Amino acid sequence: MLAQIVLFDGFDPLDVIAPYEVLAAAALVADRGFEVELVAAGGPREVPSGLVPLTLRATAALDPRRADLVVVPGALGSLADPGGGEPAEDSIPVLLGRTLTTGLPALLQEALDREGVTVATVCGGSLVLAMAGLIGGRPATTHRMGLGMLTAAGVRALDVRVVDDGDLVTSSSVTSGLDLGLYLLERELGPEVAIAVEGLIAHERRGTVWRATTGRGPAAGVGGHRVASA
């Protein structure tokens, strides 16, 4: 299975590295797993993160025709002005908004339209899809500070750790990328693989996975991780 993790200017490094390591680790503990690529909408290039001086290289183009899983991170930037002033150029809303002027929204729409492809997000990644008008009416989560933005975009915003809506799996905030990765391993490769990786990285999953009753996924979580359906 191929997982493509998207990079865009201003991405949050932990949103990328956490699911990358979890998904890639499956091959270390099992005879099946994910091949993981860092990709960008425009093809291979060096991509700068937000705020911190860290650059990662996208080695391929985002290609929903090849990918089984597409992971979209959030951005790392300054917070919006609480006084309601004009947001700074390095603010999270501005960084996320800039993705709308690239080829990313069209590629994400293609991914959502393709049967067998799952689009997953960490933190503000769901806001990228919401601002592009791709997930209106669907349940999703993001960082608590962005739930209002999801609602304003017509999304059913849920304040939980992970939301599984079938081909769309969203997770809340920065470190939830670990929980997202482990949940996807459980869902796609089975609980034994997820448990083995959980032990390898010494991380106990937390929070609740909200899952639509018609969505895919295991009947229960591993390691005491709770699953709520609606």
Side-chain angles (χ1 to χ4, degrees):
M1 300 179 71
L2 175 62
Q4 292 194 322
I5 302 180
V6 178
L7 301 178
F8 57 82
D9 291 0
F11 70 89
D12 187 318
L14 191 53
D15 289 4
V16 171
I17 296 302
Y20 185 104
E21 183 163 343
V22 170
L23 294 172
L28 301 177
V29 300
D31 58 0
R32 61 195 188 282
F34 281 95
E35 176 188 355
V36 188
E37 295 179 339
L38 296 181
V39 300
R45 68 180 178 97
E46 302 292 325
V47 186
S49 70
L51 288 187
V52 298
L54 176 68
T55 296
L56 295 178
R57 178 164 180 77
T59 60
L62 172 58
D63 186 353
R65 296 168 299 177
R66 297 177 53 233
D68 301 290
L69 170 66
V70 174
V71 181
V72 185
L76 179 62
S78 60
L79 301 178
D81 183 353
E86 195 69 22
E89 286 299 300
D90 66 350
S91 68
I92 292 174
V94 169
L95 294 173
L96 294 175
R98 285 177 185 157
T99 65
L100 305 184
T101 66
T102 71
L104 183 57
L107 289 166
L108 293 176
Q109 178 69 74
E110 182 181 347
L112 288 168
D113 289 343
R114 279 191 169 273
E115 187 173 352
V117 178
T118 296
V119 176
T121 68
V122 184
C123 201
S126 59
L127 292 171
V128 172
L129 277 74
M131 290 189 295
L134 303 182
I135 56 172
R138 300 189 67 171
T141 191
T142 189
H143 193 290
R144 287 185 175 182
M145 295 180 68
L147 290 171
M149 292 179 64
L150 276 185
T151 299
V155 176
R156 182 183 172 191
L158 300 173
D159 186 9
V160 296
R161 191 72 166 170
V162 175
V163 173
D164 181 347
D165 191 36
D167 64 347
L168 175 67
V169 183
T170 57
S171 61
S172 56
S173 52
V174 192
T175 58
S176 67
L178 293 167
D179 301 304
L180 172 72
L182 288 165
Y183 177 72
L184 290 169
L185 290 184
E186 180 187 11
R187 194 181 89 156
E188 303 299 334
L189 301 177
E192 295 82 4
V193 176
I195 290 169
V197 172
E198 192 176 63
L200 181 67
I201 65 173
H203 174 73
E204 295 184 6
R205 293 164 64 189
R206 56 183 292 264
T208 297
V209 175
W210 183 99
R211 191 178 68 237
T213 54
T214 56
R216 297 183 297 170
V222 301
H225 199 68
R226 301 184 302 279
V227 177
S229 298

